[in-house]
Short mmCIF file of all heavy atoms in Angstrom, two decimals:
data_model
loop_
_atom_site.label_atom_id
_atom_site.label_comp_id
_atom_site.label_asym_id
_atom_site.label_seq_id
_atom_site.Cartn_x
_atom_site.Cartn_y
_atom_site.Cartn_z
N ALA A 353 -23.61 20.69 -20.45
CA ALA A 353 -22.27 20.15 -20.25
C ALA A 353 -21.55 20.89 -19.13
O ALA A 353 -20.86 20.28 -18.31
CB ALA A 353 -21.48 20.24 -21.55
N TRP A 354 -21.71 22.22 -19.09
CA TRP A 354 -21.07 23.00 -18.02
C TRP A 354 -21.59 22.56 -16.66
O TRP A 354 -20.84 22.47 -15.69
CB TRP A 354 -21.36 24.49 -18.22
CG TRP A 354 -20.67 25.34 -17.21
CD1 TRP A 354 -19.42 25.87 -17.29
CD2 TRP A 354 -21.18 25.75 -15.93
NE1 TRP A 354 -19.12 26.57 -16.15
CE2 TRP A 354 -20.18 26.52 -15.30
CE3 TRP A 354 -22.38 25.54 -15.27
CZ2 TRP A 354 -20.35 27.08 -14.04
CZ3 TRP A 354 -22.56 26.08 -14.00
CH2 TRP A 354 -21.55 26.84 -13.41
N LYS A 355 -22.88 22.26 -16.59
CA LYS A 355 -23.48 21.82 -15.32
C LYS A 355 -22.84 20.52 -14.84
O LYS A 355 -22.53 20.37 -13.64
CB LYS A 355 -24.99 21.63 -15.51
CG LYS A 355 -25.76 21.30 -14.24
CD LYS A 355 -27.26 21.21 -14.55
CE LYS A 355 -28.07 20.93 -13.29
NZ LYS A 355 -29.52 20.84 -13.60
N ILE A 356 -22.64 19.58 -15.76
CA ILE A 356 -22.02 18.30 -15.40
C ILE A 356 -20.62 18.52 -14.84
O ILE A 356 -20.27 18.04 -13.75
CB ILE A 356 -21.95 17.37 -16.63
CG1 ILE A 356 -23.34 16.99 -17.11
CG2 ILE A 356 -21.12 16.12 -16.31
CD1 ILE A 356 -24.11 16.09 -16.19
N TRP A 357 -19.80 19.27 -15.58
CA TRP A 357 -18.42 19.47 -15.15
C TRP A 357 -18.35 20.31 -13.88
O TRP A 357 -17.47 20.08 -13.04
CB TRP A 357 -17.60 20.12 -16.26
CG TRP A 357 -17.24 19.13 -17.32
CD1 TRP A 357 -17.75 19.02 -18.57
CD2 TRP A 357 -16.29 18.06 -17.19
NE1 TRP A 357 -17.18 17.97 -19.24
CE2 TRP A 357 -16.28 17.36 -18.41
CE3 TRP A 357 -15.45 17.63 -16.16
CZ2 TRP A 357 -15.47 16.26 -18.64
CZ3 TRP A 357 -14.64 16.54 -16.37
CH2 TRP A 357 -14.65 15.86 -17.60
N ASN A 358 -19.26 21.24 -13.72
CA ASN A 358 -19.25 22.04 -12.50
C ASN A 358 -19.49 21.18 -11.28
O ASN A 358 -18.81 21.33 -10.25
CB ASN A 358 -20.32 23.14 -12.59
CG ASN A 358 -20.17 24.17 -11.49
OD1 ASN A 358 -19.13 24.79 -11.36
ND2 ASN A 358 -21.21 24.35 -10.70
N VAL A 359 -20.43 20.24 -11.36
CA VAL A 359 -20.68 19.34 -10.24
C VAL A 359 -19.47 18.45 -9.97
O VAL A 359 -19.09 18.21 -8.81
CB VAL A 359 -21.93 18.48 -10.52
CG1 VAL A 359 -22.10 17.40 -9.44
CG2 VAL A 359 -23.18 19.35 -10.56
N ILE A 360 -18.83 17.97 -11.04
CA ILE A 360 -17.64 17.13 -10.86
C ILE A 360 -16.55 17.89 -10.12
O ILE A 360 -15.97 17.40 -9.15
CB ILE A 360 -17.14 16.64 -12.23
CG1 ILE A 360 -18.11 15.61 -12.82
CG2 ILE A 360 -15.73 16.03 -12.10
CD1 ILE A 360 -17.77 15.16 -14.22
N TYR A 361 -16.27 19.11 -10.56
CA TYR A 361 -15.20 19.89 -9.93
C TYR A 361 -15.58 20.34 -8.52
O TYR A 361 -14.77 20.28 -7.59
CB TYR A 361 -14.88 21.12 -10.78
CG TYR A 361 -14.04 20.86 -12.00
CD1 TYR A 361 -14.56 21.05 -13.27
CD2 TYR A 361 -12.73 20.41 -11.90
CE1 TYR A 361 -13.79 20.83 -14.41
CE2 TYR A 361 -11.96 20.18 -13.01
CZ TYR A 361 -12.49 20.38 -14.27
OH TYR A 361 -11.73 20.15 -15.39
N GLU A 362 -16.81 20.81 -8.35
CA GLU A 362 -17.20 21.42 -7.08
C GLU A 362 -17.36 20.39 -5.97
O GLU A 362 -17.09 20.69 -4.81
CB GLU A 362 -18.52 22.19 -7.25
CG GLU A 362 -18.43 23.39 -8.19
CD GLU A 362 -17.45 24.43 -7.69
OE1 GLU A 362 -17.44 24.72 -6.49
OE2 GLU A 362 -16.68 24.96 -8.52
N GLU A 363 -17.77 19.17 -6.32
CA GLU A 363 -18.11 18.20 -5.28
C GLU A 363 -17.17 17.01 -5.20
O GLU A 363 -17.30 16.19 -4.29
CB GLU A 363 -19.55 17.70 -5.51
CG GLU A 363 -20.59 18.81 -5.44
CD GLU A 363 -22.01 18.28 -5.59
OE1 GLU A 363 -22.19 17.04 -5.53
OE2 GLU A 363 -22.93 19.10 -5.78
N ASN A 364 -16.23 16.90 -6.13
CA ASN A 364 -15.41 15.69 -6.17
C ASN A 364 -13.92 15.96 -6.27
O ASN A 364 -13.15 15.04 -6.52
CB ASN A 364 -15.85 14.81 -7.34
CG ASN A 364 -17.25 14.29 -7.15
OD1 ASN A 364 -17.48 13.33 -6.44
ND2 ASN A 364 -18.21 14.95 -7.79
N CYS A 365 -13.50 17.18 -6.10
CA CYS A 365 -12.07 17.50 -6.20
C CYS A 365 -11.54 18.08 -4.89
O CYS A 365 -10.60 18.87 -4.91
CB CYS A 365 -11.83 18.46 -7.36
SG CYS A 365 -11.98 17.66 -8.97
N PHE A 366 -12.16 17.68 -3.76
CA PHE A 366 -11.68 18.08 -2.44
C PHE A 366 -11.69 19.59 -2.25
O PHE A 366 -10.92 20.14 -1.47
CB PHE A 366 -10.26 17.54 -2.19
CG PHE A 366 -10.12 16.06 -2.37
CD1 PHE A 366 -9.67 15.52 -3.56
CD2 PHE A 366 -10.46 15.19 -1.34
CE1 PHE A 366 -9.55 14.14 -3.74
CE2 PHE A 366 -10.34 13.82 -1.50
CZ PHE A 366 -9.89 13.28 -2.69
N LYS A 367 -12.57 20.29 -2.98
CA LYS A 367 -12.56 21.75 -2.98
C LYS A 367 -13.69 22.33 -2.13
O LYS A 367 -14.85 21.96 -2.32
CB LYS A 367 -12.69 22.26 -4.42
CG LYS A 367 -12.48 23.76 -4.57
CD LYS A 367 -12.64 24.20 -6.02
CE LYS A 367 -14.09 24.22 -6.41
NZ LYS A 367 -14.89 25.15 -5.61
N PRO A 368 -13.38 23.23 -1.20
CA PRO A 368 -14.45 23.91 -0.47
C PRO A 368 -15.23 24.85 -1.38
O PRO A 368 -14.69 25.38 -2.36
CB PRO A 368 -13.69 24.70 0.62
CG PRO A 368 -12.32 24.88 0.06
CD PRO A 368 -12.04 23.67 -0.78
N GLN A 369 -16.51 25.06 -1.06
CA GLN A 369 -17.35 25.89 -1.92
C GLN A 369 -16.91 27.34 -1.95
O GLN A 369 -17.24 28.07 -2.89
CB GLN A 369 -18.81 25.79 -1.46
CG GLN A 369 -19.42 24.41 -1.67
CD GLN A 369 -20.89 24.37 -1.30
OE1 GLN A 369 -21.42 25.30 -0.70
NE2 GLN A 369 -21.56 23.28 -1.65
N THR A 370 -16.17 27.77 -0.96
CA THR A 370 -15.73 29.17 -0.92
C THR A 370 -14.63 29.47 -1.92
O THR A 370 -14.37 30.63 -2.23
CB THR A 370 -15.24 29.53 0.50
OG1 THR A 370 -14.22 28.59 0.89
CG2 THR A 370 -16.39 29.48 1.50
N ILE A 371 -13.97 28.42 -2.41
CA ILE A 371 -12.91 28.59 -3.40
C ILE A 371 -13.49 28.33 -4.78
O ILE A 371 -13.98 27.24 -5.06
CB ILE A 371 -11.74 27.62 -3.13
CG1 ILE A 371 -11.16 27.84 -1.73
CG2 ILE A 371 -10.65 27.79 -4.18
CD1 ILE A 371 -10.53 29.18 -1.53
N LYS A 372 -13.46 29.34 -5.65
CA LYS A 372 -14.06 29.23 -6.97
C LYS A 372 -12.99 28.96 -8.03
O LYS A 372 -11.90 29.52 -7.98
CB LYS A 372 -14.82 30.51 -7.33
CG LYS A 372 -15.88 30.90 -6.30
CD LYS A 372 -16.93 29.82 -6.14
CE LYS A 372 -18.00 30.22 -5.14
NZ LYS A 372 -18.99 29.15 -4.90
N ARG A 373 -13.35 28.12 -8.99
CA ARG A 373 -12.44 27.81 -10.08
C ARG A 373 -12.31 28.98 -11.04
O ARG A 373 -13.25 29.74 -11.24
CB ARG A 373 -12.94 26.60 -10.86
CG ARG A 373 -12.81 25.28 -10.14
CD ARG A 373 -13.30 24.16 -11.04
NE ARG A 373 -14.72 24.27 -11.32
CZ ARG A 373 -15.24 24.40 -12.53
NH1 ARG A 373 -14.44 24.43 -13.58
NH2 ARG A 373 -16.54 24.49 -12.70
N PRO A 374 -11.14 29.13 -11.69
CA PRO A 374 -11.00 30.15 -12.73
C PRO A 374 -11.99 29.91 -13.86
O PRO A 374 -12.29 28.78 -14.22
CB PRO A 374 -9.56 29.94 -13.21
CG PRO A 374 -8.86 29.31 -12.06
CD PRO A 374 -9.88 28.43 -11.41
N LEU A 375 -12.50 31.01 -14.40
CA LEU A 375 -13.47 31.03 -15.49
C LEU A 375 -14.84 30.51 -15.09
O LEU A 375 -15.75 30.45 -15.91
CB LEU A 375 -12.96 30.24 -16.70
CG LEU A 375 -11.60 30.68 -17.26
CD1 LEU A 375 -11.28 29.91 -18.54
CD2 LEU A 375 -11.56 32.17 -17.53
N ASN A 376 -15.01 30.14 -13.84
CA ASN A 376 -16.33 29.86 -13.31
C ASN A 376 -17.07 31.19 -13.22
O ASN A 376 -16.51 32.18 -12.75
CB ASN A 376 -16.18 29.23 -11.91
CG ASN A 376 -17.51 28.81 -11.30
OD1 ASN A 376 -18.50 29.53 -11.40
ND2 ASN A 376 -17.52 27.66 -10.66
N PRO A 377 -18.33 31.28 -13.68
CA PRO A 377 -19.05 32.55 -13.61
C PRO A 377 -19.12 33.16 -12.21
O PRO A 377 -19.29 34.36 -12.06
CB PRO A 377 -20.45 32.18 -14.11
CG PRO A 377 -20.25 31.00 -14.97
CD PRO A 377 -19.10 30.23 -14.36
N LEU A 378 -18.95 32.32 -11.19
CA LEU A 378 -19.00 32.81 -9.81
C LEU A 378 -17.62 33.13 -9.26
O LEU A 378 -17.48 33.46 -8.09
CB LEU A 378 -19.66 31.76 -8.91
CG LEU A 378 -21.06 31.32 -9.33
CD1 LEU A 378 -21.57 30.23 -8.39
CD2 LEU A 378 -22.03 32.50 -9.32
N ALA A 379 -16.59 33.04 -10.13
CA ALA A 379 -15.22 33.09 -9.63
C ALA A 379 -14.49 34.37 -10.00
O ALA A 379 -13.28 34.40 -10.02
CB ALA A 379 -14.43 31.90 -10.17
N SER A 380 -15.19 35.42 -10.31
CA SER A 380 -14.56 36.65 -10.78
C SER A 380 -13.48 37.14 -9.83
O SER A 380 -13.72 37.38 -8.66
CB SER A 380 -15.62 37.75 -10.95
OG SER A 380 -15.04 38.95 -11.38
N GLY A 381 -12.26 37.25 -10.38
CA GLY A 381 -11.15 37.81 -9.60
C GLY A 381 -10.56 36.88 -8.57
O GLY A 381 -9.74 37.31 -7.77
N GLN A 382 -10.94 35.59 -8.57
CA GLN A 382 -10.45 34.67 -7.53
C GLN A 382 -9.45 33.65 -8.04
O GLN A 382 -9.15 32.68 -7.37
CB GLN A 382 -11.64 33.93 -6.90
CG GLN A 382 -12.57 34.82 -6.10
CD GLN A 382 -13.47 34.01 -5.20
OE1 GLN A 382 -13.06 33.00 -4.65
NE2 GLN A 382 -14.69 34.48 -5.01
N GLU A 383 -8.92 33.85 -9.26
CA GLU A 383 -8.01 32.86 -9.81
C GLU A 383 -6.79 32.64 -8.92
O GLU A 383 -6.35 31.52 -8.69
CB GLU A 383 -7.57 33.29 -11.22
CG GLU A 383 -8.64 33.15 -12.28
CD GLU A 383 -9.63 34.30 -12.28
OE1 GLU A 383 -9.47 35.21 -11.44
OE2 GLU A 383 -10.57 34.29 -13.10
N ASN A 384 -6.21 33.73 -8.42
CA ASN A 384 -5.03 33.58 -7.57
C ASN A 384 -5.37 32.84 -6.29
O ASN A 384 -4.59 32.05 -5.78
CB ASN A 384 -4.45 34.96 -7.23
CG ASN A 384 -3.85 35.63 -8.46
OD1 ASN A 384 -3.44 34.96 -9.40
ND2 ASN A 384 -3.80 36.96 -8.46
N THR A 385 -6.57 33.08 -5.75
CA THR A 385 -7.00 32.36 -4.56
C THR A 385 -7.10 30.87 -4.84
O THR A 385 -6.68 30.04 -4.04
CB THR A 385 -8.36 32.89 -4.08
OG1 THR A 385 -8.26 34.27 -3.81
CG2 THR A 385 -8.82 32.15 -2.83
N PHE A 386 -7.64 30.54 -5.99
CA PHE A 386 -7.81 29.12 -6.34
C PHE A 386 -6.47 28.42 -6.40
O PHE A 386 -6.29 27.35 -5.80
CB PHE A 386 -8.54 28.98 -7.67
CG PHE A 386 -8.62 27.55 -8.14
CD1 PHE A 386 -9.61 26.71 -7.66
CD2 PHE A 386 -7.69 27.03 -9.04
CE1 PHE A 386 -9.69 25.38 -8.07
CE2 PHE A 386 -7.76 25.71 -9.45
CZ PHE A 386 -8.76 24.88 -8.97
#
Side-chain angles (χ1 to χ4, degrees):
W354 183 89
K355 186 177 182 180
I356 295 292
W357 283 107
N358 192 57
V359 172
I360 290 175
Y361 282 115
E362 295 298 317
E363 299 183 11
N364 295 279
C365 287
F366 305 96
K367 189 180 76 61
Q369 293 184 349
T370 54
I371 302 295
K372 304 300 181 183
R373 288 182 295 120
L375 304 186
N376 184 318
L378 304 177
S380 179
Q382 293 196 36
E383 287 81 359
N384 292 335
T385 302
F386 175 83

